[in-house]
Amino acid sequence: MPHTHRLTPGQKIYLNFTPADGKKFHKNRDKAEKKFKKLRKEFRDLQARLYAENKHKLLLVFQAMDAGGKDGTIRAVTQGVNPQGVRVTSFKAPSTIERAHDFLWRVHMAVPAKGMIGIFNRSHYEDVLIVRVDNLVPESVWRPRYDHINNFEKMLTDSGTIILKFYLHISKEEQRERFQERIDLPEKNWKFSFEDLEKRKQWDDYMLAFEEMMQNTSTVYAPWYVIPSNQNWYRNLAITHVIVDTLRQLNPQFPPPEGDVSGVIVK
Amino acid sequence: MPHTHRLTPGQKIYLNFTPADGKKFHKNRDKAEKKFKKLRKEFRDLQARLYAENKHKLLLVFQAMDAGGKDGTIRAVTQGVNPQGVRVTSFKAPSTIERAHDFLWRVHMAVPAKGMIGIFNRSHYEDVLIVRVDNLVPESVWRPRYDHINNFEKMLTDSGTIILKFYLHISKEEQRERFQERIDLPEKNWKFSFEDLEKRKQWDDYMLAFEEMMQNTSTVYAPWYVIPSNQNWYRNLAITHVIVDTLRQLNPQFPPPEGDVSGVIVK
């Protein structure tokens, strides 16, 4: 069940025909929320051991359309996890100095160290998404990036990084409702930007870009998960389940003492 | 009450005569824990606004003797705060490349950006502590650092950073008990290091280094707080109270909408 939404390498996906509705996968919201909270508690315990063991690195990548729920997911899933072991990086439009380097330069600087969980709110995948849709670089530049990304992620994996990538899949109608709410509720006004409406017009171009991106970069070592995200409660459960299941298999342990401590008396 | 433990600029402090016992300041543990949880909830709300406003930066510095409770404090105080808005940096012994630069170089890279809370687990203050006690550089090098630090922190403050510095004050006897526990409880063995016992022998040298450091670097714009930390429950309450009181005064607000959104219909 935790890996229901995983894409196998090379798998073709049509987002229009892929359910964004979590109710298709879980009927009972109350039960889902209870299960989510239980899993999140387990996540906290596993994270404490991951950090203490100081051996593996976990990288979680989140991509979505605007209002897809990236911020909310990160907040909900990591709630209660020790911030000392988690580093969230939000990738915005690149700065002048970032643009003066290759597209993986700023990303590489943000990958997690041993024992750490790194979370990317947007990522190097923007460089085959917005860059493509808005024609910021020609296809001869962005298309080879699929390979560059796969090679980069393979290298990270070989050096002890576990990579999980989540596409938060919402329907176009769900995005409409969320935008409208940001307009109608004064306390949400600050989240709304007129630019969002411009980007909404490119919905179909983005769907195509996401589809090709995931088909080309879902690998055995760094798979994509297409998470039905119209309902936050299902989205949170599904993602936490994948993370916890991955950490369970990793089974991190508190390290052994550095020597024989029995009988030592502190003065 | 929140600023009881703040050092005024130039204030001389004798740690041997400064209570490490929180019970001297708060009689009732149950009440203290309730108040702490209430304040922590308020901290979460204030942090959400700080992040959304994207204007101020908050830097929290934690220093202490070994087993002083730095990790535990950071975990307890930030529990439930959105990790996206918090960045913890643990400063270890400097790497080759870090040692090849000035002592503030790696620190500067880790200061918080707008809207963020930066937390330092150890900091540039190690460069007037361990460096002094272990004679890693001569006094002619470490003593001028008090001024360098004050100037650096003034510059950060002038660019919108609020700086709060906490010394977690435990008694020598309390450290003994905590070390002994790490030896006696198998599940805590991994936290114990024989090096800890060597450093414990330098206790008095460290007290002197801490005293002079705080006397010279507690400023109006970046004050030191000497937090009685023998009891975790009092320590957590006292620190959270200082943070929350500071954020209350800052009073961050959700930003206004970028334009007139009334009547906008999303299609």
Side-chain angles (χ1 to χ4, degrees):
Chain A
M1 141 63 174
H3 303 289
T4 310
H5 306 295
R6 180 165 56 190
L7 294 186
T8 53
Q11 186 179 336
K12 237 176 150 26
I13 182 163
Y14 300 96
L15 288 170
N16 269 338
F17 303 107
T18 304
D21 191 341
K23 283 180 282 185
K24 291 227 162 69
F25 297 90
H26 204 298
K27 299 274 172 275
N28 190 316
R29 176 173 175 165
D30 280 352
K31 276 193 188 165
E33 285 178 346
K34 271 194 195 115
K35 191 170 179 194
F36 162 59
K37 283 187 181 153
K38 221 179 135 196
L39 282 168
R40 187 166 63 175
K41 206 168 163 303
E42 190 177 347
F43 180 29
R44 289 174 203 164
D45 296 339
L46 286 161
Q47 183 278 329
R49 286 199 269 142
L50 184 85
Y51 185 77
E53 189 180 54
N54 194 34
K55 181 175 165 191
H56 301 286
K57 310 139 182 171
L58 178 62
L59 174 59
L60 311 175
V61 174
F62 292 95
Q63 289 285 165
M65 293 296 284
D66 289 329
K70 294 184 298 298
D71 291 307
T73 299
I74 292 169
R75 189 171 58 243
V77 170
T78 61
Q79 167 113 39
V81 172
N82 185 358
Q84 183 153 299
V86 178
R87 179 154 291 197
V88 183
T89 307
S90 298
F91 290 97
K92 320 262 176 190
S95 68
T96 308
I97 193 168
E98 287 169 348
R99 258 195 309 267
H101 291 81
D102 67 87
F103 78 109
L104 292 172
W105 184 73
R106 63 176 186 161
V107 176
H108 209 159
M109 280 194 279
V111 299
K114 278 183 190 172
M116 294 290 294
I117 299 177
I119 299 180
F120 287 178
N121 186 338
R122 303 184 189 272
S123 66
H124 43 304
Y125 285 100
E126 292 296 330
D127 294 291
V128 291
L129 288 168
I130 186 172
V131 156
R132 166 183 181 168
V133 172
D134 282 353
N135 259 309
L136 302 181
V137 301
E139 181 167 353
S140 61
V141 171
W142 63 254
R143 191 167 287 281
R145 285 180 177 168
Y146 294 144
D147 283 341
H148 298 320
I149 288 173
N150 288 336
N151 293 336
F152 174 64
E153 292 182 353
K154 181 72 168 69
M155 183 276 296
L156 293 179
T157 308
D158 282 354
S159 78
T161 310
I162 291 88
I163 305 175
L164 300 170
K165 303 180 293 202
F166 300 98
Y167 171 62
L168 312 182
H169 181 37
I170 60 168
S171 62
K172 195 174 179 187
E173 167 60 15
E174 179 67 23
Q175 191 196 50
R176 191 193 63 71
E177 287 173 24
R178 293 183 184 192
F179 280 169
Q180 195 63 57
E181 197 180 66
R182 290 179 179 184
I183 290 164
D184 295 344
L185 300 179
E187 71 272 22
K188 292 203 171 183
N189 278 180
W190 65 277
K191 289 189 179 179
F192 177 77
S193 156
F194 284 100
E195 203 193 318
D196 293 343
L197 299 184
E198 293 309 307
K199 280 181 91 179
R200 180 167 163 79
K201 291 178 187 159
Q202 302 169 304
W203 181 274
D204 291 339
D205 292 341
Y206 269 105
M207 289 304 106
L208 180 66
F210 272 112
E211 287 165 356
E212 280 200 21
M213 170 192 100
M214 290 193 279
Q215 191 193 341
N216 283 285
T217 61
S218 199
T219 55
V220 172
Y221 51 89
W224 274 105
Y225 292 80
V226 180
I227 305 291
S229 299
N230 278 2
Q231 285 81 21
N232 297 355
W233 57 264
Y234 181 75
R235 174 199 74 192
N236 295 343
L237 169 62
I239 290 171
T240 309
H241 207 163
V242 171
I243 297 171
V244 166
D245 188 70
T246 303
L247 287 173
R248 276 179 193 153
Q249 290 177 48
L250 207 59
N251 194 22
Q253 300 293 326
F254 290 107
E258 65 167 39
D260 185 9
V261 298
S262 59
V264 173
I265 303 290
V266 184
K267 280 167 200 148
Chain B
M1 140 66 173
H3 303 289
T4 309
H5 306 295
R6 179 165 56 190
L7 295 185
T8 54
Q11 186 179 336
K12 240 179 149 20
I13 182 163
Y14 300 95
L15 289 170
N16 269 338
F17 304 107
T18 304
D21 192 341
K23 284 180 282 184
K24 291 226 164 66
F25 297 91
H26 204 297
K27 300 274 172 273
N28 190 316
R29 176 173 176 165
D30 280 353
K31 276 193 188 164
E33 286 178 344
K34 272 195 195 113
K35 191 169 179 194
F36 162 59
K37 282 185 182 155
K38 221 179 134 195
L39 282 168
R40 188 167 62 177
K41 206 168 164 303
E42 190 177 347
F43 180 27
R44 289 174 203 164
D45 296 339
L46 285 161
Q47 183 277 329
R49 286 199 269 141
L50 184 85
Y51 184 77
E53 190 181 52
N54 194 35
K55 181 175 165 190
H56 301 286
K57 310 139 183 175
L58 178 62
L59 175 60
L60 310 175
V61 175
F62 292 95
Q63 288 286 163
M65 293 296 285
D66 290 328
K70 295 184 298 298
D71 291 305
T73 300
I74 293 169
R75 188 172 58 242
V77 170
T78 60
Q79 166 114 39
V81 173
N82 185 359
Q84 183 153 299
V86 178
R87 178 154 292 197
V88 184
T89 306
S90 298
F91 289 96
K92 321 261 178 192
S95 69
T96 309
I97 194 168
E98 286 169 348
R99 258 197 308 269
H101 291 81
D102 67 87
F103 78 108
L104 292 172
W105 184 73
R106 64 177 184 160
V107 175
H108 208 158
M109 279 194 282
V111 299
K114 278 184 192 173
M116 294 290 293
I117 299 177
I119 298 180
F120 286 179
N121 186 339
R122 303 185 188 271
S123 67
H124 43 305
Y125 285 99
E126 292 296 330
D127 294 291
V128 292
L129 288 168
I130 186 170
V131 156
R132 167 184 182 167
V133 173
D134 283 352
N135 261 308
L136 302 181
V137 301
E139 180 167 354
S140 61
V141 170
W142 63 254
R143 190 166 287 281
R145 285 181 178 168
Y146 294 145
D147 283 340
H148 298 321
I149 288 173
N150 289 335
N151 293 336
F152 174 63
E153 292 181 353
K154 181 72 168 68
M155 184 276 297
L156 293 179
T157 308
D158 282 354
S159 77
T161 311
I162 290 90
I163 305 176
L164 300 170
K165 302 180 293 201
F166 299 98
Y167 171 62
L168 312 182
H169 181 36
I170 59 168
S171 63
K172 195 174 179 188
E173 168 59 15
E174 179 67 22
Q175 191 196 51
R176 191 193 63 72
E177 287 173 23
R178 293 183 185 192
F179 279 170
Q180 196 63 57
E181 197 181 65
R182 290 178 180 184
I183 289 163
D184 295 344
L185 301 179
E187 71 273 21
K188 293 204 171 182
N189 278 180
W190 66 275
K191 288 189 180 179
F192 177 75
S193 155
F194 285 100
E195 203 193 318
D196 293 343
L197 299 183
E198 293 309 307
K199 281 181 91 179
R200 180 167 164 80
K201 291 178 187 159
Q202 302 169 304
W203 181 274
D204 292 339
D205 292 343
Y206 269 105
M207 288 304 107
L208 180 66
F210 271 113
E211 287 165 356
E212 281 201 20
M213 171 193 100
M214 290 194 278
Q215 191 192 340
N216 283 284
T217 61
S218 199
T219 55
V220 173
Y221 50 88
W224 274 105
Y225 291 81
V226 181
I227 305 291
S229 299
N230 278 2
Q231 286 80 23
N232 297 354
W233 56 265
Y234 181 75
R235 175 199 73 193
N236 295 343
L237 169 62
I239 291 171
T240 310
H241 208 163
V242 171
I243 297 170
V244 166
D245 189 69
T246 304
L247 286 172
R248 277 179 193 154
Q249 291 177 49
L250 207 60
N251 195 21
Q253 301 294 325
F254 290 107
E258 66 167 38
D260 184 10
V261 298
S262 59
V264 173
I265 302 291
V266 184
K267 278 165 199 151

